[in-house]
């Protein structure tokens, strides 16, 4: 009889081996279809300004497909962990109460934002940048295709964070789906060029606290600023917020959009 630890490893290997690659292929197709549909809804590139943006769409797309493959493998692994009862995803809203669902959603966003800020800033260090983050900055002007153009190491780190979260934190399935949807929508909107957006979007009072395309476009022009994902909190606390950002978005709200930064 196999020792308990060895037996567990063998069971784990058997469970993963049976359908891991089928799940990976299905997730890979689903994620790419989701990306294409989201980009179509944003009407990219139909709203490109003239002259065309300095965007490497082909390069971003190739890297995005590679990034999707990494996410698909990791998420397929998470599905197997759930099937083995090793995640804390649940289906009954009454298990933790209805109020916990939106609270847990916000908690996950805050955790993601915190981890993303410090990992993102770490990946900009010269010794790591070429291996972990250079691909994302191939396009001088970001587009929705840049959203998921992540180097494999960066994709692995961010996808593993999701797995760690569902293993440690009880989350309703609706919360997990809401987080994944938010990640997609937020990433794509943040990588729109401010030039293709309506004049007042997103330059309202939330613009100082919620990251949008104007905020993130600064990072793609000045890589020592604006490392956040959803919120500007850590940029404020760590002094990486552009000190003139608030005045810039107030000024931009009252005039036509150009290339403001």
């Amino acid at each position: 009889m196999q020792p308990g630890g060895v037996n567990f490893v063998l069971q784990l290997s058997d469970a993963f081996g049976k359908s891991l690659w089928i799940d990976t292929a299905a997730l890979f197709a689903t994620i790419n279809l989701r990306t294409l549909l989201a980009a179509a809804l944003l009407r990219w590139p139909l709203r490109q300004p003239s002259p065309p943006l300095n965007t490497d769409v082909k390069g971003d797309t190739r890297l995005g497909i590679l990034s999707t493959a990494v996410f698909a493998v990791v998420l397929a692994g998470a599905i197997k962990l759930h099937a083995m009862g090793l995640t804390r995803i649940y289906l009954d809203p009454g298990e933790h109460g209805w109020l916990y669902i939106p609270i847990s959603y916000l908690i996950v966003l805050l955790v993601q934002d915190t981890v993303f800020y410090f990992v993102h800033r770490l990946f900009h260090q010269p010794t790591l940048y070429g291996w972990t983050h250079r691909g994302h900055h191939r396009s001088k002007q970001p587009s929705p295709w840049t959203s998921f153009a992540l180097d494999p190491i960066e994709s692995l780190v961010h996808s593993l964070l999701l797995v760690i979260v569902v293993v440690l934190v009880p989350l309703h399935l609706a919360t997990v789906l809401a987080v994944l949807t938010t990640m997609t929508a937020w990433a794509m909107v943040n990588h729109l060029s401010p030039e293709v957006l309506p004049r007042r979007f997103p330059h309202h009072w939330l613009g100082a606290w919620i990251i949008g395309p104007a905020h993130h476009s600064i990072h793609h022009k000045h890589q020592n600023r604006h490392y956040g994902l959803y919120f500007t909190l850590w940029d404020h606390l760590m002094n990486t917020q552009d000190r003139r950002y608030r005045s810039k978005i107030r000024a931009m709200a009252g005039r036509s959009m150009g290339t403001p930064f």
Side-chain angles (χ1 to χ4, degrees), residues 5-23:
V6 174
N7 189 49
F8 173 78
V9 171
L10 290 174
Q11 289 177 349
L12 185 67
S13 175
D14 184 57
F16 271 63
K18 284 182 177 177
S19 60
L20 177 64
W21 299 114
I22 295 175
D23 288 345

Side-chain angles (χ1 to χ4, degrees), residues 230-243:
Y230 300 124
F231 313 110
T232 63
L233 174 65
W234 285 108
D235 280 311
H236 282 293
L237 293 177
M238 302 302 293
N239 200 31
T240 53
Q241 175 85 346
D242 188 321
R243 295 182 179 181

Side-chain angles (χ1 to χ4, degrees), residues 86-125:
L86 298 176
T87 76
R88 303 194 67 185
I89 298 173
Y90 64 95
L91 298 178
D92 180 10
E95 187 170 332
H96 293 277
W98 286 93
L99 184 59
Y100 178 74
I101 293 177
I103 291 174
S104 61
Y105 169 74
L106 181 59
I107 289 173
V108 174
L109 294 191
L110 290 170
V111 169
Q112 274 190 298
D113 187 68
T114 299
V115 173
F116 183 90
Y117 176 89
F118 289 101
V119 168
H120 189 188
R121 194 167 178 180
L122 177 66
F123 284 170
H124 271 278
Q125 296 303 307

Side-chain angles (χ1 to χ4, degrees), residues 27-84:
L27 284 165
F28 178 77
T30 301
I31 295 171
N32 278 298
L33 179 60
R34 173 208 65 180
T35 303
L36 290 172
L37 288 174
L41 289 172
L42 290 170
R43 293 188 292 170
W44 178 266
L46 299 179
R47 298 180 65 191
Q48 270 196 116
S50 181
L53 301 176
N54 185 10
T55 302
D56 182 6
V57 174
K58 290 183 179 180
D60 284 350
T61 301
R62 285 194 295 267
L63 190 57
I65 290 172
L66 180 59
S67 173
T68 298
V70 174
F71 269 92
V73 171
V74 174
L75 293 180
I79 291 173
K80 294 303 160 198
L81 291 175
H82 178 68
M84 298 176 68

Side-chain angles (χ1 to χ4, degrees), residues 152-216:
I153 293 176
E154 184 171 14
S155 300
L156 182 62
V157 169
H158 294 314
S159 56
L160 284 176
L161 171 63
L162 294 174
V163 177
I164 292 170
V165 168
V166 299
V167 167
L168 296 179
V169 182
L171 296 173
H172 191 274
L173 179 60
T175 304
V176 176
L177 295 177
V179 168
L180 293 173
T181 302
T182 301
M183 287 173 58
T184 302
W186 213 294
M188 287 204 150
V189 169
N190 281 353
H191 287 89
L192 283 170
S193 169
E195 290 88 343
V196 304
L197 297 172
R199 179 186 294 184
R200 296 188 63 84
F201 180 88
H203 312 295
H204 44 66
W205 66 273
L206 279 177
W209 303 105
I210 305 295
I211 291 175
H215 188 276
H216 193 66

